[in-house]
Amino acid sequence: MSYTLAGQTLRSRFFLGTAAYPSPLILQQTIAAAGSELVTVSLRRQLQPGNLPSDFYRIIQHSGARLLPNTAGCRTAREAITLAHMARELFNTHWIKLEVVGDDYTLQPDPVELLEATRQLLADGFEVFPYCTDDLVSCQRLVDAGCKVLMPWGAPIGSGQGLLNPWALRTLRARLPDVFLVVDAGIGTPAHAVQAMELGFDAVLLNSAVAHSPDPVRMAQAFRLAIESGRLAWEAGIMPCQPMAVATTPVTGNPLLL
């Protein structure tokens, strides 16, 4: 079923990163297997010698996916703002995945610098997709600033630990019902993706779990099916957990044959 994201109609809820694939061909095949309609790319990576934006564009154009540049590697709001403007000129898009890292060990977002950069980029006409923690107050500040999309982490980037704090993510979904929520970072297995979607999140963004697999194409297929399954479960309605057994077949009022 289709949905609208920042004015664009999409069907896939599987957003895919594009780093660390064995080859451009494997990346192209992986995007196709994932069915992804939105892929991310680091502008810093594209600016490295030998990484020509035109090469990446050819892969994206062939896949039909929309490009979401990110500001990975930035440590200050000023740095992220500058990189975002460069990305808009280079890739001809006003969408930006905003990353401002505050800790080198966990790569945890800096909530103060992130909010400052968000406010400025929104004023500059960007559609900002901020990578943030699962802290409700920090997320609410981003929404109050004008964000329609949030990308809270499940665990530190590339750790593969899954959803470390499902309670916090469930709280975000309950308290921010009109915000498009994407679990970004920490996903390691398709089961983690199912869990995120069953919590009511709108999409999952991941990179390492697919790119580092010995078979990225088949792993992308697995994640695609997992994300579709989790979304269907959420839409269908998941039975509540209970602290006691409940008989599947009630016997009250029925004769017992001995």
Side-chain angles (χ1 to χ4, degrees):
M1 183 179 296
S2 62
Y3 63 95
T4 301
L5 174 63
Q8 298 294 313
T9 300
L10 302 173
R11 293 184 63 85
S12 173
R13 297 177 182 273
F14 183 5
F15 303 163
L16 189 65
T18 57
Y21 287 86
S23 70
L25 177 60
I26 294 296
L27 171 58
Q28 186 173 352
Q29 293 172 342
T30 300
I31 295 173
S36 296
E37 297 173 294
L38 186 67
V39 298
T40 65
V41 61
S42 169
L43 180 58
R44 285 184 179 274
R45 176 168 162 260
Q46 289 302 309
L47 293 178
Q48 294 297 318
N51 290 327
L52 300 178
S54 58
D55 295 338
F56 184 78
Y57 263 132
R58 280 194 288 270
I59 295 175
I60 300 305
Q61 288 171 348
H62 183 80
S63 72
R66 184 182 179 98
L67 184 66
L68 178 63
N70 67 44
T71 62
C74 291
R75 296 293 190 272
T76 66
R78 182 176 180 179
E79 188 179 10
I81 292 167
T82 299
L83 200 61
H85 279 271
M86 293 174 64
R88 181 161 66 178
E89 294 297 320
L90 185 60
F91 296 117
N92 192 31
T93 177
H94 68 288
W95 287 17
I96 192 73
K97 183 192 172 192
L98 182 61
E99 300 184 30
V100 187
V101 171
D103 179 72
D104 290 334
Y105 182 75
T106 63
L107 299 181
Q108 180 172 326
D110 184 320
V112 176
E113 295 291 317
L114 180 66
L115 182 58
E116 180 182 340
T118 295
R119 286 170 171 162
Q120 184 59 57
L121 290 174
L122 287 169
D124 292 342
F126 284 86
E127 192 72 54
V128 179
F129 296 60
Y131 165 59
C132 53
T133 67
D134 54 15
D135 178 73
L136 175 61
V137 175
S138 296
C139 288
Q140 186 65 66
R141 295 287 185 270
L142 292 167
V143 173
D144 292 344
C147 289
K148 302 171 186 175
V149 180
L150 296 179
M151 293 183 155
W153 68 355
I157 292 174
S159 69
Q161 297 182 70
L163 310 186
L164 294 182
N165 195 342
W167 178 87
L169 296 174
R170 187 180 295 110
T171 300
L172 287 181
R173 179 71 290 170
R175 296 291 299 276
L176 304 173
D178 299 324
V179 178
F180 195 94
L181 295 178
V182 184
V183 169
D184 176 16
I187 296 291
T189 72
H192 298 154
V194 171
Q195 184 183 12
M197 299 305 290
E198 287 182 347
L199 288 175
F201 274 67
D202 297 289
V204 169
L205 171 60
L206 60 91
N207 187 167
S208 300
V210 170
H212 293 167
S213 168
D215 190 339
V217 177
R218 293 186 70 186
M219 185 59 75
Q221 292 174 326
F223 270 104
R224 174 176 58 80
L225 294 172
I227 290 166
E228 292 174 0
S229 173
R231 181 65 186 186
L232 283 173
W234 166 258
E235 291 175 346
I238 299 170
M239 68 171 290
C241 295
Q242 301 185 89
M244 63 184 70
V246 178
T248 303
T249 304
V251 296
T252 303
N254 295 330
L256 298 179
L257 299 179
L258 301 178

